[in-house]
Amino acid sequence: MSTREEASALVLRMQECFNTRQFDQAADLFTPDYVNHPLGATGFEAGMEAWRQVVAQFPAMSIVADDILIDGDKVAVRSSVEGMAAPGGNVRPMLIEIFRIDNGRLAETWGMTEGPDPRR
């Protein structure tokens, strides 16, 4: 089990890897059998491929943690999504994710996005 500070730092480090596009540096943040429930995928590579596809479509996209709540081995994060506001609007999507941590690494993710869909 991680301390609250370690759990928070782990999630922030993952977001930093995404925001700086240093995807390969995130490999050690995930367990070998990591499960991404929204993608229905298992393993680090599946998640990284999803990251690559998202930034190909939205090159200016970045994620900023607004709230981090920790309870045992779970970390809930509410993040602002920047760089992809809906056309003609300034309302940004919000990302809500819950991570399960196992031995200091991300083992599972559940999540959803709410707000305007920039693809419209």
Side-chain angles (χ1 to χ4, degrees), residues 79-90:
S79 301
S80 297
V81 180
E82 299 182 349
M84 58 182 292
N90 60 1

Side-chain angles (χ1 to χ4, degrees), residues 52-74:
R52 288 180 188 96
Q53 289 175 11
V54 167
V55 299
Q57 187 173 5
F58 304 103
M61 180 182 174
S62 64
I63 308 296
V64 178
D66 296 315
D67 292 305
I68 299 176
L69 304 171
I70 302 165
D71 186 16
D73 65 348
K74 302 283 190 324

Side-chain angles (χ1 to χ4, degrees), residues 24-96:
D24 293 336
Q25 291 187 16
D28 62 336
L29 305 179
F30 296 86
T31 61
D33 58 348
Y34 166 75
V35 177
N36 186 311
H37 293 281
L39 294 177
T42 301
F44 168 74
E45 281 305 317
M48 294 311 98
E49 182 55 32
W51 281 9
R52 288 180 188 96
Q53 289 175 11
V54 167
V55 299
Q57 187 173 5
F58 304 103
M61 180 182 174
S62 64
I63 308 296
V64 178
D66 296 315
D67 292 305
I68 299 176
L69 304 171
I70 302 165
D71 186 16
D73 65 348
K74 302 283 190 324
V75 180
V77 185
R78 181 182 62 87
S79 301
S80 297
V81 180
E82 299 182 349
M84 58 182 292
N90 60 1
V91 178
R92 294 177 291 182
M94 180 186 348
L95 181 61
I96 311 253

